[in-house]
Amino acid sequence: MAFRPLPAKAPAVLLREAKPLKAIFGHARRLGHLQRLLDSQLQPAAREHCHVASWREGSLLLIVTDGHWATRLRYQQKRLLRQLQAFEEFTNLTRILFKVQPPTVQVGAKGHTLDLSTDAAATIQATADGITDPNLRAALERLAAHARPKG
């Protein structure tokens, strides 16, 4: 008896039909909506440093990227609480909690050098030689120049 895999479904169909995914997607949409409401009340400079983590039982937990922004937001906490309570979604808001969590940076993301074998560089250069578009050709030649030296 041969195994026949189930037919693949489009991601949008999975999000609508699969119960666990549907719940996660609904929660993500809800947090996104709450984030937009929060952003509407924050100073433009603070928006990228403050994100909604959770909203339950009258408490709004906000993740802040560093202590500096957490302190600034704590000073504005009463004003922010009053402004958010004006929205229907936050009518039973009683307190705002701030948690400092620096953004995670992938190791090697900054200053990453491209490791390209000499064989791959030769293939890219050969491809570039057959291209008539000067911009694409120049881009491929720059990419081929990233080959690591033999040794």
Side-chain angles (χ1 to χ4, degrees):
M1 179 182 242
F3 172 74
R4 290 188 186 189
L6 296 174
K9 292 183 179 180
V13 173
L14 286 174
L15 289 174
R16 282 192 310 267
E17 294 176 359
K19 287 192 179 190
L21 289 178
K22 187 176 180 180
I24 291 170
F25 185 64
H27 185 67
R29 278 198 346 241
R30 182 173 173 254
L31 285 179
H33 177 66
L34 297 176
Q35 181 68 45
R36 285 188 296 278
L37 293 175
L38 175 68
D39 286 347
S40 73
Q41 301 306 310
L42 288 175
Q43 302 167 358
R47 291 177 187 155
E48 67 182 272
H49 301 284
C50 184
H51 304 283
V52 174
S54 70
W55 162 237
R56 66 174 70 99
E57 300 172 6
S59 293
L60 178 65
L61 176 62
L62 302 177
I63 300 294
V64 186
T65 57
D66 59 42
H68 164 77
W69 282 104
T71 301
R72 288 182 68 171
L73 290 167
R74 281 186 186 108
Y75 280 120
Q76 301 173 26
Q77 186 171 1
K78 288 183 182 178
R79 175 193 61 82
L80 188 58
L81 184 70
R82 280 192 317 270
Q83 289 176 324
L84 289 175
Q85 285 171 337
F87 292 111
E88 182 180 333
E89 291 84 346
F90 290 113
T91 52
N92 62 344
L93 179 64
T94 57
R95 65 184 183 158
I96 300 175
L97 303 170
F98 298 96
K99 181 178 178 185
V100 176
Q101 183 177 355
T104 56
V105 178
Q106 293 179 351
V107 176
K110 290 188 178 180
H112 176 70
T113 57
L114 182 64
D115 292 331
L116 192 64
S117 70
T118 52
D119 291 338
T123 302
I124 293 171
Q125 184 60 51
T127 303
D129 293 340
I131 301 294
T132 57
D133 180 21
N135 292 331
L136 180 57
R137 182 181 181 134
L140 288 172
E141 288 173 343
R142 283 193 307 274
L143 181 61
H146 284 285
R148 63 176 174 248
K150 288 183 180 180

